[in-house]
Amino acid sequence: MRAFKRWMKDQGVEWSDALLFATESGCADDSSQSPPISVEALSDLKEGDVVAKIPKQSCLTVATSAASELIEEAELGGNLGLCFALMYEKILGAESKWFEYLQILPPSEPIPLLWSLSEIDSLLAGTELHKTVKEDKALIFEDWKECIEPVLELASFELKPESFTVDEYFAAKSLVASRSFQVDEYHGYGMLPLADLFNHKTAAEDVHITTESDNDTGSEKEGTDHESDGDDDTGSEKEGTDRESDGDDEPVTHDSHSEGGDVSGSDLELSSGSGNESPFLEIIMIKDVKAGAEVFNTYGHLGNAALLHRYGFTEADNPFDILNIDLDIVVQWSSSLFSYRQSRRRLSIWRKMGYSGCVGQDSEYFEISCDGEPQDELLVLLYITLLPEDEFRALDLAVSSTEETNAAAKFQLLEKAVVLSAKGSDPSKKLLLTPSVGAALSSLADARESLYGPSSLEEDVKSCDGCCRATEAKLYHSLMLRISERRIIEKLRRYAATLVTANGGRKRKGTET
């Protein structure tokens, strides 16, 4: 840390004497990992205080890396380029401009992407991440074979190719996923010394990282968007979506992590590429922090699936947790009640009315919020699926005859005019909340729960309480994810039960459940 501080001073990085960079001794769960570092307040900090100023030239980006010309020659864009730059600087060792900075970074971050396939299968089964992380590993390996290995054969590549292993590439991916920030349009994303020391706290950040000219606008440490490597975005999105299997897209930054350091040692004329933007980033207090308290940034409003996927940790009682129910599960439920043809007809009418679920890379799903409330589009689909045949035929006729189905479909049901809006904002939503729909939601909850295997929620809680977060981090955080998802299923069941018991539990004539 002392060497890193000397390096920051040499690079023109300024920081307040009121900041303490504290090493959390004994917290690393692997002896090969560096102990985590946190930022604490040595004295009271006030809202509006500028506690650090970071030259963009001190940030490690594609533009400032010693490998910038090689990356340009190889046409490596976005995360691929930044990962290559990071690997290149690490292999340069003491010759790298960022040597002292790289020494305080862990070799990798403990995100599921780096877990073994057996660990993924045993620890993530049933969760939102199980399938996604396995797909990510395959996609990142493809990126390595198709994009990185060819660079090692270029005549301009002067380092030892054996240093650029696939394991090092995965390790670099994990660091970029959890630590990269957006610097500006010219630099793109990068690694920001000092800025990436602030730990995350959901919806309770103390600082924002901004450009000097825009210090009233916060930027959070955003998790790099799922690139093909599995650093995915899931605030309420399904993990594994928006990956860039070709590596051309930029990472989703964690709240404003992004640095780009100049590896060449020459003074980089940022103005030539960044217009009138300031050559500095500032870290500004957005609330008061008392002496002795930790100072937090935020990686965004992310649920535990996204936090574990991108950063390798979870939070208890995370208010941004969600649960996803795949459309396939809904179709299986529907097919158990009706013929396959009937199920597909009703799904088709739902789509003609302008509805759809959330779309992932290769799946369609519905979100269940932290309080157990299902996505409106799911309620509409269940309602249509459960319509008696005569009412369904009337709906089919109405949808086929109207020209406004892309915006809204109007049809007459139960002798009442009901308008279903694809935006889910129509007050007639209450008409969807029938006992039959409630019973359907309960069945879907059971089907989703079955994916976790034979263990119960209570057993998961007991196991989590009995494991050590420091030494059994993978087990602990995977259990936290399972528990958070299964508690949402419990809430979904309670939501469904209120519908089943509504109106004395009466069902509409002709409705099957």
Side-chain angles (χ1 to χ4, degrees):
M1 180 55 71
R2 286 194 296 271
F4 175 57
K5 288 181 178 180
R6 288 194 298 270
W7 176 86
M8 286 197 293
K9 288 182 178 179
D10 291 342
Q11 298 300 318
V13 179
E14 303 172 8
W15 67 95
S16 170
D17 292 337
L19 297 183
L20 170 67
F21 305 124
T23 300
E24 302 172 22
S25 301
C27 290
D29 65 320
D30 186 326
S31 59
S32 67
Q33 298 282 329
S34 303
I37 298 172
S38 61
V39 181
E40 298 176 5
L42 283 172
S43 59
D44 291 351
L45 297 171
K46 301 295 183 183
E47 180 181 351
D49 287 351
V50 177
V51 294
K53 188 174 182 179
I54 306 171
K56 293 178 181 178
Q57 293 184 45
S58 71
C59 301
L60 172 54
T61 65
V62 168
T64 59
S65 168
S68 59
E69 292 184 2
L70 183 59
I71 292 171
E72 182 177 359
E73 178 186 354
E75 299 182 345
L76 298 179
N79 271 322
L80 279 173
L82 182 56
C83 288
F84 187 91
L86 178 58
M87 293 175 67
Y88 196 94
E89 297 299 334
K90 290 176 71 174
I91 292 171
L92 284 177
E95 297 180 8
S96 170
K97 172 181 174 178
W98 291 276
F99 177 70
E100 290 80 2
Y101 164 61
L102 296 176
Q103 296 310 295
I104 70 166
L105 297 183
S108 61
E109 295 290 355
I111 61 176
L113 176 67
L114 272 60
W115 298 4
S116 68
L117 288 176
S118 61
E119 287 174 329
I120 293 170
D121 284 337
S122 63
L123 298 177
L124 297 178
T127 70
E128 301 298 326
L129 296 187
H130 188 200
K131 180 181 177 182
T132 294
V133 173
K134 295 179 75 170
E135 291 174 345
D136 289 340
K137 288 179 76 74
L139 288 170
I140 294 173
F141 187 75
E142 288 179 13
D143 283 347
W144 165 259
K145 297 294 291 184
E146 297 175 8
C147 303
I148 302 298
E149 278 196 334
V151 182
L152 311 184
E153 300 174 0
L154 295 176
S156 53
F157 182 77
E158 299 176 350
L159 300 181
K160 295 180 179 180
E162 56 266 27
S163 300
F164 278 72
T165 66
V166 66
D167 288 340
E168 286 296 324
Y169 179 62
F170 270 75
K173 281 288 191 180
S174 73
L175 292 171
V176 168
S178 61
R179 291 175 176 268
S180 64
F181 289 90
Q182 166 108 22
V183 180
D184 56 29
E185 184 176 354
Y186 172 66
H187 288 87
Y189 292 83
M191 311 290 288
L192 274 65
L194 190 155
D196 58 4
L197 299 184
F198 292 86
N199 288 323
H200 163 82
K201 196 168 187 180
T202 297
E205 69 271 28
D206 302 309
V207 298
H208 274 174
I209 303 168
T210 74
T211 60
E212 187 180 34
S213 59
D214 188 30
N215 58 19
D216 59 338
T217 303
S219 64
E220 309 165 333
K221 177 180 182 181
E222 313 207 30
T224 58
D225 250 357
H226 291 128
E227 1 165 75
S228 59
D229 60 80
D231 316 315
D232 179 70
D233 55 320
T234 344
S236 69
E237 62 272 6
K238 181 152 184 170
E239 291 291 333
T241 59
D242 297 333
R243 286 189 303 263
E244 5 162 348
S245 57
D246 57 4
D248 292 335
D249 296 337
E250 295 182 335
V252 177
T253 52
H254 324 268
D255 291 354
S256 89
H257 269 94
S258 275
E259 24 182 272
D262 184 357
V263 138
S264 65
S266 60
D267 291 335
L268 183 64
E269 293 294 329
L270 301 183
S271 60
S272 65
S274 56
N276 297 322
E277 291 192 29
S278 167
F280 296 96
L281 296 168
E282 290 183 337
I283 301 179
I284 299 174
M285 301 299 301
I286 61 168
K287 65 174 67 167
D288 295 348
V289 174
K290 294 292 185 181
E294 183 171 356
V295 183
F296 290 98
N297 191 5
T298 183
Y299 303 171
H301 294 170
L302 304 176
N304 278 336
L307 287 176
L308 182 56
H309 194 195
R310 298 177 179 180
Y311 309 109
F313 67 88
T314 56
E315 288 185 321
D317 302 317
N318 189 327
F320 298 100
D321 275 333
I322 61 163
L323 176 79
N324 296 328
I325 294 180
D326 284 350
L327 176 62
D328 287 345
I329 293 178
V330 182
V331 172
Q332 290 173 9
W333 160 81
S334 175
S335 299
S336 70
L337 298 178
F338 309 102
S339 68
Y340 179 81
R341 180 173 175 277
Q342 285 177 305
S343 297
R344 285 297 173 180
R345 279 182 62 212
R346 291 164 190 249
L347 178 62
S348 175
I349 291 298
W350 177 74
R351 293 199 184 283
K352 286 181 180 180
M353 293 170 65
Y355 289 97
S356 67
C358 302
V359 180
Q361 185 179 19
D362 57 2
S363 64
E364 188 172 356
Y365 59 96
F366 302 98
E367 293 179 353
I368 311 299
S369 68
C370 189
D371 61 5
E373 185 169 346
Q375 189 174 331
D376 288 353
E377 287 79 0
L378 174 57
L379 294 174
V380 176
L381 177 56
L382 297 179
Y383 186 86
I384 292 174
T385 301
L386 292 165
L387 283 175
E389 185 60 31
D390 57 341
E391 293 176 1
F392 174 74
R393 284 197 298 270
L395 171 61
D396 190 1
L397 179 61
V399 170
S400 300
S401 62
T402 182
E403 298 179 356
E404 303 181 56
T405 53
N406 288 332
K410 297 182 178 181
F411 56 98
Q412 204 99 26
L413 291 174
L414 304 177
E415 300 180 352
K416 296 181 180 179
V418 178
V419 178
L420 293 180
S421 167
K423 295 182 178 180
S425 59
D426 193 88
S428 63
K429 172 185 172 181
K430 61 186 179 182
L431 297 175
L432 304 173
L433 307 181
T434 66
S436 298
V437 168
L441 289 172
S442 182
S443 296
L444 294 179
D446 291 342
R448 183 63 179 81
E449 179 89 40
S450 68
L451 300 180
Y452 298 105
S455 67
S456 66
L457 171 58
E458 292 71 22
E459 289 172 323
D460 281 347
V461 171
K462 185 177 180 179
S463 297
C464 188
D465 291 341
C467 76
C468 177
R469 180 173 183 175
T471 60
E472 301 175 283
K474 294 176 182 177
L475 175 60
Y476 174 83
H477 292 299
S478 61
L479 283 170
M480 283 289 290
L481 175 59
R482 283 166 61 95
I483 291 167
S484 64
E485 290 182 356
R486 298 181 84 165
R487 283 178 172 161
I488 293 177
I489 293 177
E490 277 192 334
K491 294 175 183 177
L492 174 61
R493 285 198 178 99
R494 290 197 289 268
Y495 179 93
T498 63
L499 305 187
V500 173
T501 57
N503 301 317
R506 293 192 301 272
K507 302 177 221 174
R508 289 185 295 111
K509 182 179 179 181
T511 308
E512 297 182 62
T513 58

